[in-house]
Amino acid sequence: MGYNVFCVKFSSYHYHNHHLNVICSSSRGKSIRFWDFKHNKQLQIFDEHTNSVCSIEFSPFNSGKYLCSRSCDKTICLWNVETSKLLRVFNGHTDYVFCNIDDNNNESGDIGVIGGNDYTICSGSHDKTIRIWDIETTKHSMYSKSIQIV
């Protein structure tokens, strides 16, 4: 049984570290899958989300070693692509994490990963909040309790 595919990205990690052309996809099937499309072979699957995985974003640092995912289960997950391990789960949104914003004002729905003294993630939700998450502690700051949707 197939599921709707919500997001597809080329894996910068696999390209930079193994010279492989790998596609990473997220779906309504609650999973993230890595595909070697040249050999038509599934390489990895991340399946810790409990609802649809709406989007994925590779880290702009460490050659894409880290992957963020956002889901209708109201969480954002941080994964280590190299080890296939779930590193952190960010809880705090009270509704679907439909929209994410990055530090370049990109409104494509991607998860924002911002560099600084510590790495942080920026997320937006249908709960009308924008949150900045500390990757190390998984704690968040809320930028706005009420965003006017026009």
Side-chain angles (χ1 to χ4, degrees):
M1 171 187 239
Y3 292 99
N4 294 351
V5 175
F6 290 128
C7 187
V8 176
K9 304 265 181 177
F10 284 102
S11 171
S12 51
Y13 171 79
H14 288 88
Y15 182 77
H16 288 296
N17 294 289
H18 304 290
H19 305 291
L20 292 174
N21 290 316
V22 173
I23 293 174
C24 181
S25 65
S26 66
S27 74
R28 181 171 293 210
K30 308 175 193 175
S31 65
I32 301 162
R33 297 174 188 265
F34 292 80
W35 307 90
D36 177 345
F37 61 90
K38 183 176 182 182
H39 299 103
N40 196 25
K41 182 170 98 174
Q42 182 177 291
L43 301 175
Q44 292 168 279
I45 184 168
F46 299 164
D47 58 3
E48 299 290 329
H49 280 292
T50 59
N51 206 329
S52 301
V53 182
C54 302
S55 78
I56 49 177
E57 186 67 34
F58 287 92
S59 61
F61 52 89
N62 287 350
S63 300
K65 180 179 174 180
Y66 301 102
L67 178 77
C68 279
S69 58
R70 68 176 173 93
S71 173
C72 290
D73 65 10
K74 306 173 192 171
T75 68
I76 299 155
C77 290
L78 178 66
W79 310 85
N80 182 322
V81 177
E82 184 175 59
T83 63
S84 299
K85 300 288 183 194
L86 175 61
L87 299 175
R88 303 272 190 270
V89 177
F90 302 90
N91 291 295
H93 284 296
T94 59
D95 208 339
Y96 297 153
V97 186
F98 279 133
C99 178
N100 288 283
I101 303 161
D102 74 16
D103 56 334
N104 295 319
N105 294 321
N106 183 350
E107 296 180 14
S108 68
D110 293 337
I111 297 159
V113 180
I114 304 168
N117 292 337
D118 297 312
Y119 287 101
T120 56
I121 296 171
C122 178
S123 66
S125 170
H126 195 258
D127 66 10
K128 300 179 184 173
T129 64
I130 297 170
R131 297 177 190 263
I132 302 294
W133 305 86
D134 181 294
I135 288 177
E136 294 296 318
T137 65
T138 69
K139 293 183 179 175
H140 62 86
S141 303
M142 200 176 325
Y143 264 155
S144 177
K145 290 186 179 180
S146 175
I147 299 171
Q148 189 74 24
I149 300 175
V150 183

